[in-house]
Amino acid sequence: MKVTGFISLWTLLLLPCGQPASPAEHEDVVKHAIKLHRGKGAVIAQRKQWVLESCRKLSGLLRQKNVVLNKLKNAIRAVEKDAGLSDEEKLFQVHTFEIFQKELNESENSVFQAIHGLQRALQGDYKDVVNMKESSRQRLEALREAAIKEEMEYVELLAAEKHQVEALKNMQHQNKSLSMLDEILEDVRKAADRLEEEIEEHAFDDNKSVRGVNFEAVLRVEEDEANSKSNASKRDVEDDLGLSMLIDSQNNQYILTKPRDSTIPRADHHFIKDIVTIGMLSLPCGWLCTTIGLPTMFGYIICGVLLGPSGLNSIKSIVQVETLGEFGVFFTLFLVGLEFSPERLRKVWKISLQGPCYMTVLMIAFGLLWGHLLQIRPTQSVFISTCLSLSSTPLVSRFLAGSVRGDKEGDIDYSSVLLGMLVMQDVQLGLFIAVMPTLIQVGVSTYSSIFKEILRILILIGQILFSLAAVFLICLVIKTYLIGPYYRKLHAESKGNKEILILGITAFIFLMLTITELLDVSMELGCFLAGALISSQGHMVTEEIMSCIEPIRDFLAIIFFASIGLHVFPTFVIYELTVLLFLTLSVVIMKFVLAVLVLSLILPKTSQYIKWIVSAGLAQVSEFSFVLGSRARRAGIISREVYLLILSVTTLSLLLAPALWRAAIMKCVPRPERRSST
C-alpha cells in the first residue's frame, strides 16, 4: 500500500481534539464530527501542523519497515547459500526470519484496519443501532482473527525457542565425549519426540477453517486457593496439564476432554469432587425419606436440589454428572427387562402397543384444543402435549421393584402391562426426538410447504417402524442362536471370579444399546431388550445376574435422581405455587382419566380391575421432559417461561406419584401383595 494514499486518508479522518463533552452535548459533538467528515464543517487549519508531523512519522516507520524487510530477505538468501550450516540449522534460522517478517506485516495491517474502521464509523448514522451492531460485529471478528494469528505466532516462537535450546545441547554434546548412559538417554529423548509428533492431533488447525466453526473469546479460570504461593505453583502445573476451566461470552463453562499430550494421565478433579459430594449427602437425604415413609429416590432428588444451582451451587461438572446418571437409567431398564420375560411380553404386546399410542393421540388432541382457545401456536401445543404424555420408567420401575407378579390364572399381570406401555413410550420418545427438527421447520413454514413437512413426518414414522422390525428380528436371532452359548461360556469362565460375568453382561447391554442407537431407536429400548433376552435363560440365571448388577444399578440410580434435582428450582415453585399446583393436578388427573378410558377399551373383561393401578402408574410426567424441554427451548419451539413451567410440573407430578400409587395399590391389590408392592 502506498504511503501517499495513507497520508491522504489520514488527513481526511483526523478531527480537532477538544475537551470531553458533557452528556447534554453528545449529540452536537457527533453531528459536528459527521459534518467535518462530509466537508460541511470548518477547515482544520489549527491541526495542520500536527497532522503533517504525525504523517511524517508514520511515513518514516513504513519506509523503515520496508528496509528491514529487504534486509531479512537478503539474510534468508545468505543462510540458504551458507554451506557450513546443516539443513536443520538453515530451516531454523529461515523460520525465525519469516516469523519476524510476519510480525512486521501484521502490525502494518492492524494500523490500516483501525483507520478503515474509523472511516466506516464516521460514514454511518449514529442513531442506526443495526449499523452500529454490524460495525461492532466486524470489529469483534477482526479481533478474533488477530488473536488467532497472534496465538499461532506465539506457538511458532515457542517451537523456535525449543529448537534453539536443542541446538545448543547438540553443540555441547559434540564438544564432549558422551557416556553410555548419556547416549541411551539421548536415544530415548529422540524416540519421545517422535512419539509426541505421531500422537499429537492438530485439532485447532484442522477445524478452524471448517464450515460452522466460530472464533470465540473465552476466560480461563484457575482454581482458587487460600495460599497465593501454592496457587501460583498450581497454576504453572495446570498450564501444562490444561485442567483449568474455560468460560465463553454466553456463560457456558468448559473442561478438558482430550489433552494435547496424551502421554500424561489426567483426572477432572471437579467431577471427582461432585461425585464424592453427591454420594455423601445422598445418605442422610435418603435416610430421612425412608424415615418419613417416602421412597429413597426423593431423598436423592433433594440432594441434587441442595447441591445444584438453586442451592449451594457446589456442582461444577453438571453435564458430566448427568451423563453418568444416564447409565443409571440404562441399568435400571436392564433389570426391568430381566424381570420381564418374553412370555409375558407376548401376552401383553397388543395392549403395550395400542395403549401409549391412543393416549398420546388424545393428549395431542386436548393440547391442540386448549392451544386454540388460549391462542398458542400448534407446534408449541403439539410439543407440550407429547412431552406431558410421557411417564417415568425409572420411577415406576422403583415402585415395582420386588413386587409379587402373580395374579389370577388367565389374568394379565398389571406390572407386565405397565412396563410394556412404558417401554413403548420410550420408543415414542426416540420417534419424537427424530421428528423434532421437522416440527421446528413446520413452525416456520408457510401453508404451501406444510404438506411436504407432513410427508416427511410420515416417512420418518415409516423409518422408525422399519427400525423396530429390524431390532426385533435381531433379538429373535440372538435369542435363538447366541444368548444361550454366550451365557454358558460366561458362567464357565466366571467360577470363582465374578468380574468376567459382570463385564460380559455389561458388554451385552452396551451391544444392544448400540444396535438400537444405530437403528435410530431409543437406547433405553436396547437396555430393556437385553434384560428380556437374558431372562429367557431361566429363573436361576436371572437371580445370579441380578445379584451382580443390582449394586451397580443402585449407585448409578443415585447419580441419576440427583441429576434430576439439579434442574429443580424451589424458589420458582414457591413464587408460582398456586399456578403450578393447578397445572400439575390438571395434568395428573387428565392422564389418569385418559389412561382409565383407554384401558377400559383395550383390556379383557377379566382384567379390567388392573386399569386403576396401571393408570396410577402412568399419571406423572417423565424426567425426559427435561431433555425434550431443553432441546425445544434452544430450537425456539417454546419460551423460557414455558420451559420452567414444564420442569416444575414434571417435578411436582413425580412428587405426587407415590401417594397416587399407594392409593391404587391399597384399593386394587390383595392384602398379601401390598407390602411388597409399596
Side-chain angles (χ1 to χ4, degrees):
M1 185 176 294
K2 294 183 179 180
V3 177
T4 56
F6 175 77
I7 293 175
S8 61
L9 179 61
W10 184 269
T11 307
L12 177 65
L13 295 176
L14 285 175
L15 301 173
C17 298
Q19 296 297 326
S22 63
E25 299 173 342
H26 282 171
E27 186 173 343
D28 293 334
V29 171
V30 175
K31 289 181 178 180
H32 180 63
I34 295 175
K35 287 181 179 180
L36 286 176
H37 171 64
R38 294 174 178 172
K40 299 178 181 179
V43 182
I44 53 173
Q46 65 272 20
R47 306 295 296 175
K48 183 177 181 180
Q49 186 63 32
W50 184 86
V51 170
L52 292 175
E53 184 67 24
S54 300
C55 291
R56 189 180 299 111
K57 290 181 179 179
L58 182 59
S59 177
L61 288 175
L62 294 177
R63 285 195 298 269
Q64 186 177 359
K65 174 247 180 184
N66 292 328
V67 172
V68 173
L69 286 179
N70 292 329
K71 291 182 177 180
L72 288 173
K73 292 178 182 178
N74 295 330
I76 290 174
R77 286 194 292 268
V79 169
E80 292 176 347
K81 296 179 180 179
D82 191 351
L85 297 176
S86 63
D87 293 338
E88 293 183 355
E89 291 175 341
K90 289 181 180 180
L91 182 62
F92 167 70
Q93 294 189 15
V94 170
H95 184 60
T96 305
F97 292 150
E98 290 176 348
I99 292 176
F100 191 40
Q101 285 179 332
K102 188 184 300 182
E103 173 69 19
L104 294 175
N105 292 326
E106 291 297 333
S107 300
E108 180 184 2
N109 291 335
S110 300
V111 174
F112 286 105
Q113 287 177 359
I115 297 301
H116 288 308
L118 179 58
Q119 183 185 27
R120 186 170 54 252
L122 288 173
Q123 290 175 346
D125 185 359
Y126 68 97
K127 291 184 178 180
D128 187 359
V129 179
V130 177
N131 183 49
M132 294 173 62
K133 178 183 175 182
E134 180 63 22
S135 298
S136 177
R137 188 194 64 80
Q138 292 178 0
R139 289 195 300 272
L140 182 60
E141 191 66 27
L143 287 174
R144 289 170 176 169
E145 293 179 359
I148 295 299
K149 292 178 181 178
E150 196 66 31
E151 184 75 21
M152 294 173 61
E153 183 176 337
Y154 180 73
V155 172
E156 291 179 353
L157 289 172
L158 289 178
E161 182 182 20
K162 180 181 178 181
H163 189 279
Q164 187 176 19
V165 171
E166 292 178 353
L168 291 175
K169 288 182 178 180
N170 291 332
M171 293 178 60
Q172 293 176 357
H173 290 166
Q174 292 175 359
N175 295 330
K176 66 177 182 179
S177 59
L178 297 179
S179 63
M180 182 180 298
L181 178 61
D182 292 333
E183 292 180 356
I184 294 175
L185 292 178
E186 181 65 18
D187 293 338
V188 172
R189 183 188 65 81
K190 293 180 180 180
D193 291 339
R194 287 195 301 269
L195 175 63
E196 290 184 356
E197 292 176 359
E198 291 173 357
I199 65 176
E200 183 177 1
E201 295 183 3
H202 300 280
F204 186 85
D205 295 332
D206 296 340
N207 292 287
K208 67 181 180 181
S209 59
V210 176
R211 183 179 180 181
V213 174
N214 298 319
F215 296 129
E216 294 288 343
V218 296
L219 300 177
R220 180 170 179 171
V221 181
E222 307 291 349
E223 186 73 14
D224 292 330
E225 296 288 341
N227 190 347
S228 60
K229 292 184 179 180
S230 62
N231 188 26
S233 61
K234 185 175 181 178
R235 183 179 296 110
D236 294 337
V237 175
E238 290 192 350
D239 283 339
D240 293 335
L241 299 183
L243 297 179
S244 52
M245 183 179 296
L246 301 180
I247 305 175
D248 66 6
S249 58
Q250 302 298 321
N251 294 322
N252 297 309
Q253 300 180 11
Y254 303 88
I255 61 171
L256 182 69
T257 57
K258 185 175 182 180
R260 179 184 63 85
D261 185 4
S262 301
T263 60
I264 303 177
R266 292 167 174 82
D268 183 2
H269 55 278
H270 292 295
F271 182 52
I272 294 175
K273 290 180 181 178
D274 293 342
I275 298 300
V276 169
T277 306
I278 291 174
M280 291 190 299
L281 189 58
S282 295
L283 175 61
C285 293
W287 201 345
L288 178 62
C289 287
T290 303
T291 304
I292 62 179
L294 289 175
T296 54
M297 55 164 287
F298 288 106
Y300 308 147
I301 294 177
I302 293 173
C303 170
V305 174
L306 295 176
L307 297 176
S310 57
L312 300 175
N313 197 22
S314 61
I315 302 298
K316 302 300 182 183
S317 304
I318 293 180
V319 176
Q320 286 70 32
V321 170
E322 292 175 346
T323 303
L324 182 61
E326 285 299 310
F327 287 90
V329 178
F330 297 155
F331 281 94
T332 297
L333 291 176
F334 169 73
L335 290 181
V336 169
L338 204 60
E339 298 178 355
F340 197 81
S341 63
E343 289 73 17
R344 293 169 60 195
L345 183 62
R346 285 195 296 268
K347 195 174 182 180
V348 300
W349 75 270
K350 289 184 179 180
I351 300 173
S352 302
L353 181 64
Q354 296 174 358
C357 294
Y358 292 157
M359 287 188 62
T360 302
V361 171
L362 290 175
M363 285 290 291
I364 292 176
F366 276 101
L368 290 173
L369 176 61
W370 282 104
H372 178 71
L373 296 176
L374 300 176
Q375 296 182 349
I376 301 176
R377 288 179 298 146
T379 53
Q380 189 169 341
S381 300
V382 170
F383 171 80
I384 296 174
S385 302
T386 308
C387 193
L388 296 179
S389 68
L390 301 175
S391 301
S392 175
T393 303
L395 177 65
V396 177
S397 302
R398 302 287 284 189
F399 289 160
L400 296 175
S403 62
V404 178
R405 307 299 190 195
D407 280 287
K408 299 176 182 179
E409 185 66 27
D411 289 351
I412 297 177
D413 184 8
Y414 72 87
S415 61
S416 301
V417 175
L418 187 53
L419 290 175
M421 294 181 68
L422 289 172
V423 170
M424 186 60 199
Q425 285 189 351
D426 291 334
V427 176
Q428 290 180 345
L429 173 66
L431 174 63
F432 188 62
I433 291 176
V435 173
M436 186 179 290
T438 303
L439 186 65
I440 298 171
Q441 296 177 10
V442 170
V444 299
S445 299
T446 59
Y447 286 100
S448 60
S449 61
I450 286 181
F451 296 103
K452 296 181 180 179
E453 301 302 334
I454 294 176
L455 181 61
R456 286 187 59 187
I457 292 176
L458 294 177
I459 293 174
L460 282 173
I461 293 175
Q463 292 176 350
I464 294 296
L465 294 177
F466 175 78
S467 299
L468 287 175
V471 168
F472 286 109
L473 180 61
I474 293 173
C475 290
L476 181 61
V477 173
I478 292 176
K479 179 180 180 296
T480 306
Y481 300 104
L482 299 179
I483 191 64
Y486 179 72
Y487 176 76
R488 288 192 293 271
K489 181 66 174 177
L490 284 179
H491 184 74
E493 295 292 336
S494 62
K495 290 183 178 179
N497 183 8
K498 295 296 182 181
E499 293 180 10
I500 299 297
L501 179 62
I502 295 174
L503 182 60
I505 297 301
T506 304
F508 181 67
I509 297 173
F510 292 162
L511 173 64
M512 295 300 300
L513 180 152
T514 304
I515 291 174
T516 53
E517 175 69 11
L518 292 176
L519 292 174
D520 292 328
V521 188
S522 66
M523 294 185 290
E524 291 77 13
L525 178 62
C527 300
F528 176 83
L529 292 176
L533 288 172
I534 293 180
S535 68
S536 64
Q537 300 303 303
H539 180 71
M540 296 297 294
V541 174
T542 300
E543 292 295 329
E544 181 182 13
I545 293 177
M546 190 173 295
S547 63
C548 297
I549 301 298
E550 268 188 338
I552 303 175
R553 187 276 312 270
D554 292 338
F555 174 74
L556 294 175
I558 292 173
I559 306 299
F560 170 72
F561 288 112
S563 67
I564 293 179
L566 298 177
H567 299 282
V568 178
F569 305 97
T571 54
F572 179 78
V573 175
I574 293 173
Y575 292 152
E576 303 294 337
L577 184 61
T578 304
V579 176
L580 292 175
L581 284 177
F582 173 77
L583 293 175
T584 303
L585 291 176
S586 300
V587 170
V588 171
I589 293 173
M590 180 181 295
K591 294 192 69 174
F592 182 82
V593 171
L594 290 179
V596 171
L597 177 62
V598 170
L599 291 172
S600 299
L601 297 176
I602 62 178
L603 280 175
K605 292 183 179 180
T606 57
S607 303
Q608 284 289 323
Y609 69 95
I610 70 171
K611 63 185 178 183
W612 306 106
I613 306 177
V614 177
S615 300
L618 297 175
Q620 27 77 22
V621 184
S622 173
E623 65 284 343
F624 287 106
S625 62
F626 298 153
V627 179
L628 293 176
S630 62
R631 293 190 181 186
R633 182 185 174 188
R634 288 196 299 267
I637 298 178
I638 60 175
S639 62
R640 178 192 61 178
E641 293 76 13
V642 175
Y643 172 69
L644 290 176
L645 287 176
I646 291 176
L647 294 188
S648 302
V649 169
T650 300
T651 304
L652 292 177
S653 69
L654 292 174
L655 292 174
L656 292 176
L660 187 60
W661 176 259
R662 288 186 177 184
I665 290 293
M666 295 293 292
K667 180 179 179 180
C668 303
V669 177
R671 186 174 299 274
E673 298 182 22
R674 290 181 185 175
R675 183 176 302 174
S676 58
S677 297
T678 56

